[in-house]
Amino acid sequence: MLRLRFITSMALTLGLGVALHVTQVSAQVTQPSSQQTEPTPSDTARAEVEPTPIPASEVVIRAEEATRQLRQIAPRAAADPAVQDLGAELEQLVEAQEELLSQPGSQQPERLSRRNLETLQQQWLVFRNRLAESQDLLGARSQGLGEDRGTVRQIRSLWLTTREVAADEGYPEAAVDRIGSVLAAIDSTDALILTRLDTVLALQGRIADQMGQTEEVLGRIEDASEAARLGLFTPEGRPLWSALASPELRSSLDKLQDSLSADASTVRRFFDDNSEVLFVFAGLFLLLLALMLFLRGRARAWGEEDPELRASTRFLDRPFSASLLVALVLVSATLAAIPQAVVTVIRVVAVVPILRLLPVLVPAVVHRLLYWLVGLWVLDGVQYMLLDGTGAQRLVLLIETAAALLVLIRALRPGGPVAEAVRGRRLARVVFNFSRLGLVTLAASLVANILGFAGLADLLTGATITSAVLAAVLYAAAQVLIGLVSLGLRTEAARSFRSVRRNSDLMRDRARGLLNLAAVIGWFYWTLERFDVDELAVDGFLAILNASLSIGNFSISLGDIVAFVAAVWLATIASRFTRFVLEEDVFPHLALPRGVPGAISKMSHYIIIGLGILIAFTAAGIDISNLTLLVGALGVGIGFGLQNIVNNFVSGLVLMFERPIQVGDTVELAPLIGRVKDIGIRASTVRTFDGAEVIVPNGDLISGRVVNWTLSDQQRRIDVNVGVAYGSNPNQVIDILLEAAKQHPKSLNYPEPFVLFIGFGESSMDFTLRFWTGEFSEWLNVKSDVTLTLHDALYAAGIEIPFPQRDLHLRSVDAAISGETLSKASKPTSVLGEGADDSE
């Protein structure tokens, strides 16, 4: 063992020392030297390698190769249908941009209200996304054409050089003709590539011009939005009583028709530009509907066995509404820059599934509250779309705010039905208390609207109502998805996996936690976005993460720490999931040698954790190469001060690959005997039969003498020693012993039991019964059962099991010793003889 530790120490020290030396040498090599000079143009020219001319004997063969290569390039230089379509659509893009530029807000966005600015910005963002997609397509096309042209130029250079050499050295005429034909094909292909490249570059130029104008307008809109955001606390209109008395209110209705026309045009343009969204939505809706109809009948049967499953799948009674709501949520979450008119359309479409699903998913006590909030939510969207910037909008907003305030006051009053329903429910109580913030924001909106802060009032009311309804919608969508997951885990296809059969409840709980977390995160983000503080929150969060602490040349930020912890945590989760899948679904279907599954599982754990740590260092901004110096320095300490730890670590690896001991084995390390519970990276845990858990260093299991009772199998030989009285029939005793062993159900027929006649003892004839059992953990119970059976069988056969006895013969007795003395002396003799005496 001392030799193993010494060799391990020396190997680690030598290896780490070499690594340190190589690192230092590489650092010296990479450092700029004062004697080195910048390369001159002549050096660069000399570094360029001239193409080697093709010998005359190889011209024909190389010409076929060049022609084949040009034939492969030519189709790629042909007209691209996507580029042609883009060229045809370019005029439509120009018209769409001119239409957007013709809007008054695009030229003077500072005159628009905050809502109109948001709508205009979303329209320009959609247009910019279309331009960006076109740029990406043209960029990929131009890059491919450029690479092909570079290849053609290399081929031309080779054949031009060959033609010059052919003229100087007098190549055969056939070779010269072949060279000319190859150069002609090269020129033709190059001209084709150049034509396509000119077309692509021209389109790129026109789209770049459009992108520049778009970015300019978006910049002005962003500045106007920032100014509007900062001006929320500045009165932007007259007090409400003055606005109601002005002619503006009477003329507001005249603007409805123009507003409706503009919003209809916005919706039509959005779906024309995103036609694939409708197909995705329709496909997702039909898929969900088919799935729910398929599971509805099975859910009823399964619900009779599991009441909890029945309660969580009541939405299947309304599959159309459930499918529609989930499809709307999922598709809306993937869209970016949705115009407000489209959002209003989504609201109107979502009203029906919301009103039908919420009664079966939420307690009855909050039904009326949700109905009111959904109605006010639709009203907010309508007045948002139709009446923005008018006196009528402020009046409708006042009515909306007052109604929402009264509804919340009535629902959230202390001692009310809602307050009683959430009593004792922690999460519901948190939501109830958090909902009281809505009373504050609605009251502030009411006051702001009356005093002339129309933008602030509109923001507070709309965001509060939208946040409440959004929470209900996300809750309903999460419950539907949780129910689908629960039903999916009960299907035959899912239960064909061993991991699902054994851990269905755990998987359902994990899915419920993930979906609820996703719903909370989505609600929180969209609420911040609706209150128009999402950018401020993101910037503040990033500022906190970027806050750094510097000590000399060392600097670390909170973001680095978070990234490091997150990477390690994700690696741990990945390791657990990998081991779970391997142990539950992979290893049971593979005929692997004993111990191999455990070794694979352990090594996969170490590899994933190791990779996770490396990724964590990279994510934290730590250069891994800089750690080499630290590792080299630690090598000395490891070599001398941590010999035992390194020895145990290496021994743990040996245990994994050589597999002399496995988890579950019964081992004996004098005076310790027990079952191996775990084999760790440094030490293993052995649980004794007394219940104690002993930590044994892995080095002791490798270097010491260890008895493994269950290395290759679970068989154990059991010996039962029996002595019978003299005069008994030995053959009868042997038959009785064999029969007792064969009758036990846990006694093996092979190796078959056998009996040995050991010899003649002092008080008995001695026999040994030897038989095997296949369950090592039960060998003591088996031995006890067989011994008891032997006792009963010998007693029934009349065969005596004698106790030790000794006869004492007195040849002479001193006359001076009386009979009483002799009688007293004979008793200790009987005790020493451990039996009855026959005295003479």
PDB file of all heavy atoms in Angstrom, residues 151-182:
ATOM      1  N   THR A 151     -13.469  29.651 -55.670  1.00  0.00           N
ATOM      2  CA  THR A 151     -13.019  28.345 -56.161  1.00  0.00           C
ATOM      3  C   THR A 151     -12.725  28.393 -57.655  1.00  0.00           C
ATOM      4  O   THR A 151     -11.712  27.848 -58.131  1.00  0.00           O
ATOM      5  CB  THR A 151     -14.093  27.287 -55.861  1.00  0.00           C
ATOM      6  OG1 THR A 151     -14.371  27.262 -54.463  1.00  0.00           O
ATOM      7  CG2 THR A 151     -13.627  25.912 -56.311  1.00  0.00           C
ATOM      8  N   VAL A 152     -13.589  29.060 -58.420  1.00  0.00           N
ATOM      9  CA  VAL A 152     -13.379  29.164 -59.869  1.00  0.00           C
ATOM     10  C   VAL A 152     -12.106  29.939 -60.172  1.00  0.00           C
ATOM     11  O   VAL A 152     -11.340  29.602 -61.094  1.00  0.00           O
ATOM     12  CB  VAL A 152     -14.611  29.812 -60.525  1.00  0.00           C
ATOM     13  CG1 VAL A 152     -14.339  30.135 -61.993  1.00  0.00           C
ATOM     14  CG2 VAL A 152     -15.816  28.877 -60.414  1.00  0.00           C
ATOM     15  N   ARG A 153     -11.826  30.987 -59.411  1.00  0.00           N
ATOM     16  CA  ARG A 153     -10.618  31.775 -59.648  1.00  0.00           C
ATOM     17  C   ARG A 153      -9.365  30.947 -59.363  1.00  0.00           C
ATOM     18  O   ARG A 153      -8.352  31.083 -60.050  1.00  0.00           O
ATOM     19  CB  ARG A 153     -10.647  33.027 -58.777  1.00  0.00           C
ATOM     20  CG  ARG A 153     -11.752  34.015 -59.180  1.00  0.00           C
ATOM     21  CD  ARG A 153     -11.774  35.228 -58.268  1.00  0.00           C
ATOM     22  NE  ARG A 153     -10.564  36.008 -58.404  1.00  0.00           N
ATOM     23  CZ  ARG A 153     -10.291  37.094 -57.663  1.00  0.00           C
ATOM     24  NH1 ARG A 153     -11.154  37.505 -56.754  1.00  0.00           N
ATOM     25  NH2 ARG A 153      -9.162  37.754 -57.862  1.00  0.00           N
ATOM     26  N   GLN A 154      -9.412  30.101 -58.360  1.00  0.00           N
ATOM     27  CA  GLN A 154      -8.268  29.225 -58.097  1.00  0.00           C
ATOM     28  C   GLN A 154      -8.051  28.260 -59.257  1.00  0.00           C
ATOM     29  O   GLN A 154      -6.910  28.014 -59.669  1.00  0.00           O
ATOM     30  CB  GLN A 154      -8.500  28.458 -56.795  1.00  0.00           C
ATOM     31  CG  GLN A 154      -8.464  29.331 -55.543  1.00  0.00           C
ATOM     32  CD  GLN A 154      -8.729  28.520 -54.288  1.00  0.00           C
ATOM     33  OE1 GLN A 154      -8.981  27.321 -54.351  1.00  0.00           O
ATOM     34  NE2 GLN A 154      -8.666  29.187 -53.153  1.00  0.00           N
ATOM     35  N   ILE A 155      -9.151  27.717 -59.782  1.00  0.00           N
ATOM     36  CA  ILE A 155      -9.012  26.809 -60.922  1.00  0.00           C
ATOM     37  C   ILE A 155      -8.455  27.556 -62.134  1.00  0.00           C
ATOM     38  O   ILE A 155      -7.585  27.047 -62.866  1.00  0.00           O
ATOM     39  CB  ILE A 155     -10.375  26.170 -61.243  1.00  0.00           C
ATOM     40  CG1 ILE A 155     -10.888  25.354 -60.040  1.00  0.00           C
ATOM     41  CG2 ILE A 155     -10.282  25.276 -62.469  1.00  0.00           C
ATOM     42  CD1 ILE A 155     -12.288  24.813 -60.218  1.00  0.00           C
ATOM     43  N   ARG A 156      -8.945  28.785 -62.368  1.00  0.00           N
ATOM     44  CA  ARG A 156      -8.451  29.565 -63.502  1.00  0.00           C
ATOM     45  C   ARG A 156      -6.952  29.837 -63.360  1.00  0.00           C
ATOM     46  O   ARG A 156      -6.185  29.743 -64.332  1.00  0.00           O
ATOM     47  CB  ARG A 156      -9.206  30.886 -63.618  1.00  0.00           C
ATOM     48  CG  ARG A 156      -8.624  31.770 -64.740  1.00  0.00           C
ATOM     49  CD  ARG A 156      -9.133  33.183 -64.696  1.00  0.00           C
ATOM     50  NE  ARG A 156     -10.473  33.272 -65.244  1.00  0.00           N
ATOM     51  CZ  ARG A 156     -11.531  33.674 -64.544  1.00  0.00           C
ATOM     52  NH1 ARG A 156     -11.363  33.993 -63.264  1.00  0.00           N
ATOM     53  NH2 ARG A 156     -12.709  33.753 -65.112  1.00  0.00           N
ATOM     54  N   SER A 157      -6.515  30.199 -62.148  1.00  0.00           N
ATOM     55  CA  SER A 157      -5.095  30.488 -61.942  1.00  0.00           C
ATOM     56  C   SER A 157      -4.234  29.278 -62.300  1.00  0.00           C
ATOM     57  O   SER A 157      -3.173  29.403 -62.931  1.00  0.00           O
ATOM     58  CB  SER A 157      -4.870  30.912 -60.493  1.00  0.00           C
ATOM     59  OG  SER A 157      -3.496  31.128 -60.244  1.00  0.00           O
ATOM     60  N   LEU A 158      -4.688  28.093 -61.896  1.00  0.00           N
ATOM     61  CA  LEU A 158      -3.937  26.875 -62.192  1.00  0.00           C
ATOM     62  C   LEU A 158      -3.840  26.648 -63.707  1.00  0.00           C
ATOM     63  O   LEU A 158      -2.746  26.381 -64.252  1.00  0.00           O
ATOM     64  CB  LEU A 158      -4.605  25.683 -61.516  1.00  0.00           C
ATOM     65  CG  LEU A 158      -4.060  24.301 -61.886  1.00  0.00           C
ATOM     66  CD1 LEU A 158      -2.604  24.168 -61.472  1.00  0.00           C
ATOM     67  CD2 LEU A 158      -4.910  23.200 -61.241  1.00  0.00           C
ATOM     68  N   TRP A 159      -4.958  26.795 -64.412  1.00  0.00           N
ATOM     69  CA  TRP A 159      -4.942  26.496 -65.833  1.00  0.00           C
ATOM     70  C   TRP A 159      -4.293  27.601 -66.655  1.00  0.00           C
ATOM     71  O   TRP A 159      -3.741  27.344 -67.735  1.00  0.00           O
ATOM     72  CB  TRP A 159      -6.357  26.222 -66.329  1.00  0.00           C
ATOM     73  CG  TRP A 159      -6.835  24.874 -65.859  1.00  0.00           C
ATOM     74  CD1 TRP A 159      -7.538  24.599 -64.754  1.00  0.00           C
ATOM     75  CD2 TRP A 159      -6.579  23.619 -66.500  1.00  0.00           C
ATOM     76  NE1 TRP A 159      -7.765  23.253 -64.632  1.00  0.00           N
ATOM     77  CE2 TRP A 159      -7.189  22.623 -65.702  1.00  0.00           C
ATOM     78  CE3 TRP A 159      -5.916  23.229 -67.661  1.00  0.00           C
ATOM     79  CZ2 TRP A 159      -7.138  21.265 -66.029  1.00  0.00           C
ATOM     80  CZ3 TRP A 159      -5.879  21.884 -67.996  1.00  0.00           C
ATOM     81  CH2 TRP A 159      -6.478  20.912 -67.184  1.00  0.00           C
ATOM     82  N   LEU A 160      -4.342  28.858 -66.175  1.00  0.00           N
ATOM     83  CA  LEU A 160      -3.588  29.913 -66.851  1.00  0.00           C
ATOM     84  C   LEU A 160      -2.091  29.662 -66.767  1.00  0.00           C
ATOM     85  O   LEU A 160      -1.341  29.836 -67.748  1.00  0.00           O
ATOM     86  CB  LEU A 160      -3.944  31.276 -66.258  1.00  0.00           C
ATOM     87  CG  LEU A 160      -5.327  31.842 -66.618  1.00  0.00           C
ATOM     88  CD1 LEU A 160      -5.574  33.139 -65.846  1.00  0.00           C
ATOM     89  CD2 LEU A 160      -5.443  32.077 -68.126  1.00  0.00           C
ATOM     90  N   THR A 161      -1.639  29.266 -65.583  1.00  0.00           N
ATOM     91  CA  THR A 161      -0.219  28.934 -65.432  1.00  0.00           C
ATOM     92  C   THR A 161       0.167  27.760 -66.322  1.00  0.00           C
ATOM     93  O   THR A 161       1.239  27.747 -66.944  1.00  0.00           O
ATOM     94  CB  THR A 161       0.082  28.607 -63.960  1.00  0.00           C
ATOM     95  OG1 THR A 161      -0.298  29.713 -63.142  1.00  0.00           O
ATOM     96  CG2 THR A 161       1.554  28.315 -63.759  1.00  0.00           C
ATOM     97  N   THR A 162      -0.729  26.775 -66.396  1.00  0.00           N
ATOM     98  CA  THR A 162      -0.451  25.618 -67.251  1.00  0.00           C
ATOM     99  C   THR A 162      -0.381  26.027 -68.726  1.00  0.00           C
ATOM    100  O   THR A 162       0.456  25.518 -69.502  1.00  0.00           O
ATOM    101  CB  THR A 162      -1.540  24.552 -67.042  1.00  0.00           C
ATOM    102  OG1 THR A 162      -1.587  24.203 -65.651  1.00  0.00           O
ATOM    103  CG2 THR A 162      -1.261  23.310 -67.856  1.00  0.00           C
ATOM    104  N   ARG A 163      -1.265  26.950 -69.133  1.00  0.00           N
ATOM    105  CA  ARG A 163      -1.230  27.391 -70.534  1.00  0.00           C
ATOM    106  C   ARG A 163       0.083  28.112 -70.860  1.00  0.00           C
ATOM    107  O   ARG A 163       0.650  27.936 -71.938  1.00  0.00           O
ATOM    108  CB  ARG A 163      -2.420  28.313 -70.822  1.00  0.00           C
ATOM    109  CG  ARG A 163      -2.536  28.711 -72.300  1.00  0.00           C
ATOM    110  CD  ARG A 163      -3.799  29.475 -72.575  1.00  0.00           C
ATOM    111  NE  ARG A 163      -3.819  30.744 -71.872  1.00  0.00           N
ATOM    112  CZ  ARG A 163      -4.820  31.644 -71.968  1.00  0.00           C
ATOM    113  NH1 ARG A 163      -5.872  31.361 -72.734  1.00  0.00           N
ATOM    114  NH2 ARG A 163      -4.772  32.770 -71.290  1.00  0.00           N
ATOM    115  N   GLU A 164       0.598  28.938 -69.944  1.00  0.00           N
ATOM    116  CA  GLU A 164       1.864  29.620 -70.174  1.00  0.00           C
ATOM    117  C   GLU A 164       3.011  28.622 -70.302  1.00  0.00           C
ATOM    118  O   GLU A 164       3.865  28.734 -71.191  1.00  0.00           O
ATOM    119  CB  GLU A 164       2.136  30.594 -69.039  1.00  0.00           C
ATOM    120  CG  GLU A 164       1.143  31.757 -68.968  1.00  0.00           C
ATOM    121  CD  GLU A 164       1.392  32.638 -67.767  1.00  0.00           C
ATOM    122  OE1 GLU A 164       2.319  32.307 -66.980  1.00  0.00           O
ATOM    123  OE2 GLU A 164       0.664  33.641 -67.585  1.00  0.00           O
ATOM    124  N   VAL A 165       3.015  27.631 -69.419  1.00  0.00           N
ATOM    125  CA  VAL A 165       4.073  26.615 -69.480  1.00  0.00           C
ATOM    126  C   VAL A 165       3.942  25.797 -70.764  1.00  0.00           C
ATOM    127  O   VAL A 165       4.946  25.408 -71.391  1.00  0.00           O
ATOM    128  CB  VAL A 165       4.008  25.718 -68.238  1.00  0.00           C
ATOM    129  CG1 VAL A 165       4.994  24.558 -68.349  1.00  0.00           C
ATOM    130  CG2 VAL A 165       4.290  26.530 -66.981  1.00  0.00           C
ATOM    131  N   ALA A 166       2.697  25.524 -71.168  1.00  0.00           N
ATOM    132  CA  ALA A 166       2.491  24.744 -72.388  1.00  0.00           C
ATOM    133  C   ALA A 166       3.026  25.483 -73.599  1.00  0.00           C
ATOM    134  O   ALA A 166       3.593  24.880 -74.520  1.00  0.00           O
ATOM    135  CB  ALA A 166       1.006  24.440 -72.554  1.00  0.00           C
ATOM    136  N   ALA A 167       2.876  26.821 -73.635  1.00  0.00           N
ATOM    137  CA  ALA A 167       3.408  27.596 -74.761  1.00  0.00           C
ATOM    138  C   ALA A 167       4.928  27.617 -74.751  1.00  0.00           C
ATOM    139  O   ALA A 167       5.572  27.576 -75.814  1.00  0.00           O
ATOM    140  CB  ALA A 167       2.849  29.013 -74.710  1.00  0.00           C
ATOM    141  N   ASP A 168       5.524  27.695 -73.558  1.00  0.00           N
ATOM    142  CA  ASP A 168       6.986  27.748 -73.463  1.00  0.00           C
ATOM    143  C   ASP A 168       7.618  26.400 -73.760  1.00  0.00           C
ATOM    144  O   ASP A 168       8.662  26.329 -74.435  1.00  0.00           O
ATOM    145  CB  ASP A 168       7.406  28.219 -72.060  1.00  0.00           C
ATOM    146  CG  ASP A 168       6.976  29.654 -71.794  1.00  0.00           C
ATOM    147  OD1 ASP A 168       6.736  30.391 -72.774  1.00  0.00           O
ATOM    148  OD2 ASP A 168       6.849  30.017 -70.605  1.00  0.00           O
ATOM    149  N   GLU A 169       7.018  25.322 -73.277  1.00  0.00           N
ATOM    150  CA  GLU A 169       7.636  24.003 -73.407  1.00  0.00           C
ATOM    151  C   GLU A 169       7.110  23.217 -74.607  1.00  0.00           C
ATOM    152  O   GLU A 169       7.561  22.098 -74.850  1.00  0.00           O
ATOM    153  CB  GLU A 169       7.392  23.202 -72.119  1.00  0.00           C
ATOM    154  CG  GLU A 169       8.038  23.838 -70.894  1.00  0.00           C
ATOM    155  CD  GLU A 169       7.829  22.998 -69.653  1.00  0.00           C
ATOM    156  OE1 GLU A 169       7.195  21.909 -69.778  1.00  0.00           O
ATOM    157  OE2 GLU A 169       8.307  23.403 -68.571  1.00  0.00           O
ATOM    158  N   GLY A 170       6.119  23.760 -75.292  1.00  0.00           N
ATOM    159  CA  GLY A 170       5.629  23.083 -76.495  1.00  0.00           C
ATOM    160  C   GLY A 170       4.842  21.831 -76.191  1.00  0.00           C
ATOM    161  O   GLY A 170       5.227  20.741 -76.613  1.00  0.00           O
ATOM    162  N   TYR A 171       3.749  21.974 -75.433  1.00  0.00           N
ATOM    163  CA  TYR A 171       2.892  20.822 -75.145  1.00  0.00           C
ATOM    164  C   TYR A 171       2.275  20.321 -76.450  1.00  0.00           C
ATOM    165  O   TYR A 171       2.131  21.088 -77.419  1.00  0.00           O
ATOM    166  CB  TYR A 171       1.783  21.222 -74.187  1.00  0.00           C
ATOM    167  CG  TYR A 171       2.176  21.198 -72.714  1.00  0.00           C
ATOM    168  CD1 TYR A 171       3.515  21.324 -72.348  1.00  0.00           C
ATOM    169  CD2 TYR A 171       1.219  21.057 -71.717  1.00  0.00           C
ATOM    170  CE1 TYR A 171       3.871  21.312 -71.012  1.00  0.00           C
ATOM    171  CE2 TYR A 171       1.570  21.049 -70.389  1.00  0.00           C
ATOM    172  CZ  TYR A 171       2.906  21.184 -70.034  1.00  0.00           C
ATOM    173  OH  TYR A 171       3.260  21.179 -68.727  1.00  0.00           O
ATOM    174  N   PRO A 172       1.853  19.076 -76.494  1.00  0.00           N
ATOM    175  CA  PRO A 172       1.161  18.557 -77.683  1.00  0.00           C
ATOM    176  C   PRO A 172      -0.102  19.372 -77.974  1.00  0.00           C
ATOM    177  O   PRO A 172      -0.708  19.970 -77.086  1.00  0.00           O
ATOM    178  CB  PRO A 172       0.835  17.107 -77.299  1.00  0.00           C
ATOM    179  CG  PRO A 172       1.838  16.769 -76.251  1.00  0.00           C
ATOM    180  CD  PRO A 172       2.098  18.013 -75.483  1.00  0.00           C
ATOM    181  N   GLU A 173      -0.478  19.386 -79.247  1.00  0.00           N
ATOM    182  CA  GLU A 173      -1.618  20.205 -79.665  1.00  0.00           C
ATOM    183  C   GLU A 173      -2.905  19.757 -78.980  1.00  0.00           C
ATOM    184  O   GLU A 173      -3.751  20.587 -78.618  1.00  0.00           O
ATOM    185  CB  GLU A 173      -1.769  20.106 -81.187  1.00  0.00           C
ATOM    186  CG  GLU A 173      -2.887  20.995 -81.731  1.00  0.00           C
ATOM    187  CD  GLU A 173      -2.967  20.934 -83.245  1.00  0.00           C
ATOM    188  OE1 GLU A 173      -2.105  20.276 -83.861  1.00  0.00           O
ATOM    189  OE2 GLU A 173      -3.890  21.566 -83.798  1.00  0.00           O
ATOM    190  N   ALA A 174      -3.053  18.447 -78.780  1.00  0.00           N
ATOM    191  CA  ALA A 174      -4.259  17.944 -78.108  1.00  0.00           C
ATOM    192  C   ALA A 174      -4.350  18.489 -76.679  1.00  0.00           C
ATOM    193  O   ALA A 174      -5.423  18.872 -76.200  1.00  0.00           O
ATOM    194  CB  ALA A 174      -4.265  16.417 -78.094  1.00  0.00           C
ATOM    195  N   ALA A 175      -3.186  18.555 -75.992  1.00  0.00           N
ATOM    196  CA  ALA A 175      -3.181  19.075 -74.630  1.00  0.00           C
ATOM    197  C   ALA A 175      -3.499  20.569 -74.624  1.00  0.00           C
ATOM    198  O   ALA A 175      -4.232  21.076 -73.758  1.00  0.00           O
ATOM    199  CB  ALA A 175      -1.834  18.802 -73.972  1.00  0.00           C
ATOM    200  N   VAL A 176      -2.954  21.300 -75.630  1.00  0.00           N
ATOM    201  CA  VAL A 176      -3.217  22.741 -75.693  1.00  0.00           C
ATOM    202  C   VAL A 176      -4.698  23.001 -75.940  1.00  0.00           C
ATOM    203  O   VAL A 176      -5.308  23.898 -75.332  1.00  0.00           O
ATOM    204  CB  VAL A 176      -2.342  23.377 -76.778  1.00  0.00           C
ATOM    205  CG1 VAL A 176      -2.722  24.840 -76.977  1.00  0.00           C
ATOM    206  CG2 VAL A 176      -0.867  23.253 -76.422  1.00  0.00           C
ATOM    207  N   ASP A 177      -5.310  22.212 -76.823  1.00  0.00           N
ATOM    208  CA  ASP A 177      -6.744  22.379 -77.083  1.00  0.00           C
ATOM    209  C   ASP A 177      -7.574  22.086 -75.837  1.00  0.00           C
ATOM    210  O   ASP A 177      -8.564  22.787 -75.553  1.00  0.00           O
ATOM    211  CB  ASP A 177      -7.170  21.457 -78.221  1.00  0.00           C
ATOM    212  CG  ASP A 177      -6.547  21.860 -79.554  1.00  0.00           C
ATOM    213  OD1 ASP A 177      -6.107  23.030 -79.665  1.00  0.00           O
ATOM    214  OD2 ASP A 177      -6.489  21.008 -80.459  1.00  0.00           O
ATOM    215  N   ARG A 178      -7.160  21.047 -75.119  1.00  0.00           N
ATOM    216  CA  ARG A 178      -7.911  20.713 -73.905  1.00  0.00           C
ATOM    217  C   ARG A 178      -7.780  21.836 -72.871  1.00  0.00           C
ATOM    218  O   ARG A 178      -8.754  22.172 -72.178  1.00  0.00           O
ATOM    219  CB  ARG A 178      -7.411  19.388 -73.325  1.00  0.00           C
ATOM    220  CG  ARG A 178      -8.219  18.875 -72.145  1.00  0.00           C
ATOM    221  CD  ARG A 178      -9.703  18.730 -72.503  1.00  0.00           C
ATOM    222  NE  ARG A 178      -9.901  17.756 -73.556  1.00  0.00           N
ATOM    223  CZ  ARG A 178     -10.163  16.469 -73.340  1.00  0.00           C
ATOM    224  NH1 ARG A 178     -10.258  16.036 -72.099  1.00  0.00           N
ATOM    225  NH2 ARG A 178     -10.334  15.638 -74.348  1.00  0.00           N
ATOM    226  N   ILE A 179      -6.613  22.424 -72.764  1.00  0.00           N
ATOM    227  CA  ILE A 179      -6.433  23.547 -71.829  1.00  0.00           C
ATOM    228  C   ILE A 179      -7.348  24.709 -72.212  1.00  0.00           C
ATOM    229  O   ILE A 179      -7.994  25.348 -71.375  1.00  0.00           O
ATOM    230  CB  ILE A 179      -4.956  23.980 -71.816  1.00  0.00           C
ATOM    231  CG1 ILE A 179      -4.079  22.879 -71.204  1.00  0.00           C
ATOM    232  CG2 ILE A 179      -4.785  25.272 -71.027  1.00  0.00           C
ATOM    233  CD1 ILE A 179      -2.591  23.151 -71.309  1.00  0.00           C
ATOM    234  N   GLY A 180      -7.427  24.990 -73.534  1.00  0.00           N
ATOM    235  CA  GLY A 180      -8.288  26.075 -73.982  1.00  0.00           C
ATOM    236  C   GLY A 180      -9.752  25.819 -73.694  1.00  0.00           C
ATOM    237  O   GLY A 180     -10.498  26.731 -73.303  1.00  0.00           O
ATOM    238  N   SER A 181     -10.208  24.577 -73.860  1.00  0.00           N
ATOM    239  CA  SER A 181     -11.611  24.261 -73.583  1.00  0.00           C
ATOM    240  C   SER A 181     -11.928  24.394 -72.088  1.00  0.00           C
ATOM    241  O   SER A 181     -13.002  24.868 -71.712  1.00  0.00           O
ATOM    242  CB  SER A 181     -11.920  22.845 -74.076  1.00  0.00           C
ATOM    243  OG  SER A 181     -11.150  21.879 -73.364  1.00  0.00           O
ATOM    244  N   VAL A 182     -10.962  23.998 -71.242  1.00  0.00           N
ATOM    245  CA  VAL A 182     -11.183  24.147 -69.804  1.00  0.00           C
ATOM    246  C   VAL A 182     -11.274  25.620 -69.415  1.00  0.00           C
ATOM    247  O   VAL A 182     -12.147  26.034 -68.633  1.00  0.00           O
ATOM    248  CB  VAL A 182     -10.075  23.428 -69.018  1.00  0.00           C
ATOM    249  CG1 VAL A 182     -10.192  23.739 -67.527  1.00  0.00           C
ATOM    250  CG2 VAL A 182     -10.154  21.931 -69.235  1.00  0.00           C
TER     251      VAL A 182
END
